[in-house]
Amino acid sequence: MILFDHVTKLYPTQQRPALDDVSLEIEKGEFVFLVGPSGSGKSTFLRLVLREERPTKGQVWVLGKDLNRLSNWKIPMLRRQIGTVFQDFRLLPNKTVAENVAFALEVIGKPSSHIKKVVPEVLEVVGLEGKESRRPDELSGGEQQRVAIARAFVNRPMMLIADEPTGNLDPGTSVGIMKLLDRINRLGTTVVMSTHDAQIVDQMRRRVIELEGGHVVRDQTRGVYGYAQ
Amino acid sequence: MRATFVASEVGNGLRRNLTMTLAVIITVAVSLALFGASLLVRAQVSAMKDFWYDKVEVSIFLCSKGSDTPSCAGGAVTAAQRDQIKADLESLRPLVDEIYYESKAEAYQRFTEQFKNSPIVDNVTEKSLPESFRVKLADPTKYDVVASAFAGRPGIEQVNDQRQVLDKFFQLLGGLQAIALLIAGVMLVVTVLLIVNTMRVAAFSRRRETSIMRLVGASNFYIQLPFLLEAAFAAAIGAVLAIGALVLMKVVIIDGVLAPSFQFTAFVGWEAVAAIAPVMLITGIALAGLAAFFTLRKYLRV
Ligand SMILES: Nc1ncnc2c1ncn2[C@@H]1O[C@H](COP(=O)(O)OP(=O)(O)OP(=O)(O)O)[C@@H](O)[C@H]1O
Ligand SMILES: [Mg+2]
């Protein structure tokens, strides 16, 4: 699924690399937490997977493709197989819940008959049935994040990338979102999420990769958040 | 490709950016109208050239008694000289198309005919007008060949080309056309800058949509298409307005004012307008499309 081979990422304006010689592999169907202090390189890692950034050194393989050798016009095809969720939801405020989800399919040219069929289905999966025609500002934070997850999942991607998906939510709401991500993972989608939420990591007992200053300092199959060094 | 979706995106974009869209339409219309006008002047010049060059002749005036050019030092032209000139002109065929000899009497007749309402006729006698050969050239631009062969020869007072007079007039029109073209060029540059800026603002104001499009894997083409169509659509409307202005120029200025008052010359017909209109439309759309394309390449990167 994801293979990092001695990957270093140095932003042009920065002295110190955001990721420094990182090598790791994530298998199909895994659920992986990416933890570490602020500035440790979690978002950089995820951006490299999405090919929003290119590594300074080393190779990134995603879904069997060497991203260094992937030509620009093939990037959209890669991203269609990866769902993405962010802390700030990134919904379109002037579109309804259903329209926000449908947008993701419209812009990749899916026929409207297909869209009419799958949008209600995915809204049911994320637990938003009955709220199709609300706008984002008529929803709670947790509900908005569910819309974002529905949008990321509606195309049934191989992989879901979530950058602090519960970062803006209270603990109770976060649990609901985590249950949803767990369910999506059990449906066969690989999930990689970064988080600062110790409670969630401790409860889920999944693989934990800890970054610090751009290095992998821990990679544990059934880890917890605050593992003492 | 979902045509209805793209169409609604284009419609939204145009409405959201209405003032900018209007500005683009107006500058495109003005610059293309000027561009079309300059092309129309060029067509007019070429219509007049066709009309006049067909009629102009080279006149070889022969010496009369008392002509004071050096080549007339031997007094009035002799019969032998006249025959020699005629023979030499014949040898220049096929460049020389028609040769016509005009005697003093014929010259006087033509003169009185031309100026019958003018008192000048009273001061002119048959003797004071020179006899001449009127020569029509197959290719009027080859005037130099005739001039160099005959100017300054004994018995010839002067070689005159009517084309030279006309050329001054055409130069004037050419100058007008150049100025119109220059202004049109400047306006087109302004238009391009405006479109670049409009696209930048549009890309910025819709960065939320476009960033989501990128994340969910929309192709570059799909992301840029609504912007390109918006620019092309605004340019097309501007071009249509400009073509309307061109038609108005033809109807009001050429057919309405110029043609009735200057009946001695030819004016451009509708086929010229029909040839220029598509050039304007294509120039407008291509310019807007290219300006938008290169701006978007910079602002909507994957
Ligand atoms: N676009 C950028 N240009 C320059 N430097 C950047 C850029 N993005 C991140 N960085 C730097 O790279 C380092 C790693 O940043 P990154 O965003 O990956 O951290 P993070 O682990 O996601 O932090 P947080 O938990 O606060 O989100 C930081 O030092 C940051 O300042
Ligand atoms: Mg981050």
Side-chain angles (χ1 to χ4, degrees), chain A residues 52 76 79-80 86 90-91 93 103 106-108 110 115 151, chain B residues 2 5 9 208-209 212-219 222 302:
Chain A
E52 288 201 54
R79 292 189 184 146
R80 283 177 203 190
F86 296 91
R90 303 204 184 167
L91 301 177
F103 184 75
E106 280 163 343
V107 299
I108 58 173
K110 295 276 183 199
I115 296 175
R151 185 181 61 194
Chain B
R2 306 253 341 269
F5 175 71
E9 284 291 297
R208 225 184 155 82
E209 275 95 333
I212 292 170
M213 285 169 124
R214 276 192 299 122
L215 276 176
V216 300
S219 63
Y222 216 107
V302 272

Side-chain angles (χ1 to χ4, degrees), chain B residues 100-149:
Chain B
Y100 169 71
Y101 172 75
E102 190 182 72
S103 68
K104 280 175 179 290
E106 285 163 332
Y108 182 71
Q109 201 186 345
R110 205 159 65 104
F111 188 87
T112 48
E113 184 71 20
Q114 237 171 28
F115 295 94
K116 57 174 172 272
N117 298 323
S118 164
I120 197 173
V121 176
D122 305 334
N123 301 327
V124 172
T125 63
E126 192 179 311
K127 285 215 169 355
S128 64
L129 288 172
E131 55 192 298
S132 61
F133 283 104
R134 303 292 167 130
V135 179
K136 193 161 269 179
L137 299 180
D139 175 2
T141 60
K142 293 271 163 59
Y143 156 77
D144 281 350
V145 178
V146 179
S148 62

Side-chain angles (χ1 to χ4, degrees), chain B residues 8-279:
Chain B
S8 83
E9 284 291 297
V10 170
N12 282 341
L14 287 174
R15 242 175 301 122
R16 236 180 307 183
N17 235 340
L18 194 61
T19 47
M20 289 290 245
T21 307
L22 280 178
V24 169
I25 290 175
I26 291 168
T27 45
V28 167
V30 172
S31 53
L32 283 183
L34 273 167
F35 180 56
S38 78
L39 292 183
L40 198 64
V41 172
R42 198 176 70 172
Q44 174 62 33
V45 167
S46 108
M48 287 171 100
K49 277 183 178 165
D50 285 349
F51 181 82
W52 284 104
Y53 283 180
D54 231 31
K55 301 193 165 39
V56 298
E57 352 166 273
V58 176
S59 310
I60 301 175
F61 293 105
L62 306 178
C63 295
S64 337
K65 232 201 191 116
S67 304
D68 48 8
T69 26
S71 55
C72 292
V77 65
T78 65
Q81 281 173 333
R82 191 186 304 126
D83 291 346
Q84 186 58 46
I85 292 165
K86 176 129 181 15
D88 288 351
L89 277 173
E90 292 289 352
S91 76
L92 281 177
R93 284 184 196 276
L95 171 62
V96 166
D97 199 28
E98 283 171 39
I99 304 165
Y100 169 71
Y101 172 75
E102 190 182 72
S103 68
K104 280 175 179 290
E106 285 163 332
Y108 182 71
Q109 201 186 345
R110 205 159 65 104
F111 188 87
T112 48
E113 184 71 20
Q114 237 171 28
F115 295 94
K116 57 174 172 272
N117 298 323
S118 164
I120 197 173
V121 176
D122 305 334
N123 301 327
V124 172
T125 63
E126 192 179 311
K127 285 215 169 355
S128 64
L129 288 172
E131 55 192 298
S132 61
F133 283 104
R134 303 292 167 130
V135 179
K136 193 161 269 179
L137 299 180
D139 175 2
T141 60
K142 293 271 163 59
Y143 156 77
D144 281 350
V145 178
V146 179
S148 62
F150 294 95
R153 241 168 88 153
I156 293 178
E157 186 177 5
Q158 205 182 12
V159 180
N160 243 351
D161 180 17
Q162 293 176 338
R163 218 179 82 98
Q164 284 183 319
V165 184
L166 279 177
D167 274 351
K168 288 222 175 68
F169 177 62
F170 289 146
Q171 267 168 19
L172 183 78
L173 282 180
L176 280 179
Q177 188 219 348
I179 291 170
L181 204 58
L182 189 77
I183 300 174
V186 172
M187 285 297 301
L188 285 174
V189 170
V190 172
T191 308
V192 167
L193 294 179
L194 188 71
I195 290 171
V196 165
N197 203 44
T198 306
M199 285 296 116
R200 234 163 50 182
V201 171
F204 184 75
S205 69
R206 275 185 270 167
R207 64 195 182 286
R208 225 184 155 82
E209 275 95 333
T210 52
S211 77
I212 292 170
M213 285 169 124
R214 276 192 299 122
L215 276 176
V216 300
S219 63
N220 251 342
F221 178 70
Y222 216 107
I223 296 176
Q224 299 187 359
L225 190 67
F227 293 90
L228 287 177
L229 289 180
E230 277 166 50
F233 184 72
I237 292 182
V240 167
L241 291 177
I243 290 169
L246 192 74
V247 167
L248 221 62
M249 282 180 224
K250 163 79 175 134
V251 171
V252 175
I253 301 181
I254 295 183
D255 294 350
V257 178
L258 295 176
S261 14
F262 301 98
Q263 279 172 352
F264 56 84
T265 186
F267 283 94
V268 282
W270 283 105
E271 74 285 347
V273 178
I276 292 170
V279 173

Side-chain angles (χ1 to χ4, degrees), chain A residues 149-221:
Chain A
I149 293 171
R151 185 181 61 194
F153 189 61
V154 69
N155 211 18
R156 304 286 158 150
M158 309 282 282
M159 190 189 324
L160 191 82
I161 300 285
D163 197 355
E164 301 190 36
T166 59
N168 275 345
L169 306 175
D170 62 67
T173 313
S174 298
V175 170
I177 294 294
M178 287 317 297
K179 283 201 175 131
L180 179 56
L181 290 178
D182 187 46
R183 187 166 164 213
I184 284 174
N185 176 240
R186 285 175 201 279
L187 288 171
T189 301
T190 311
V191 177
V192 183
M193 74 170 268
S194 75
T195 186
H196 285 289
D197 195 329
Q199 214 184 339
I200 283 174
V201 179
D202 293 348
Q203 272 171 3
M204 300 270 294
R205 287 296 178 133
R206 296 301 188 100
R207 181 176 172 191
V208 174
I209 297 170
E210 184 173 346
L211 292 171
E212 210 179 295
H215 297 276
V216 178
V217 294
R218 175 165 64 115
D219 187 348
Q220 238 181 349
T221 15

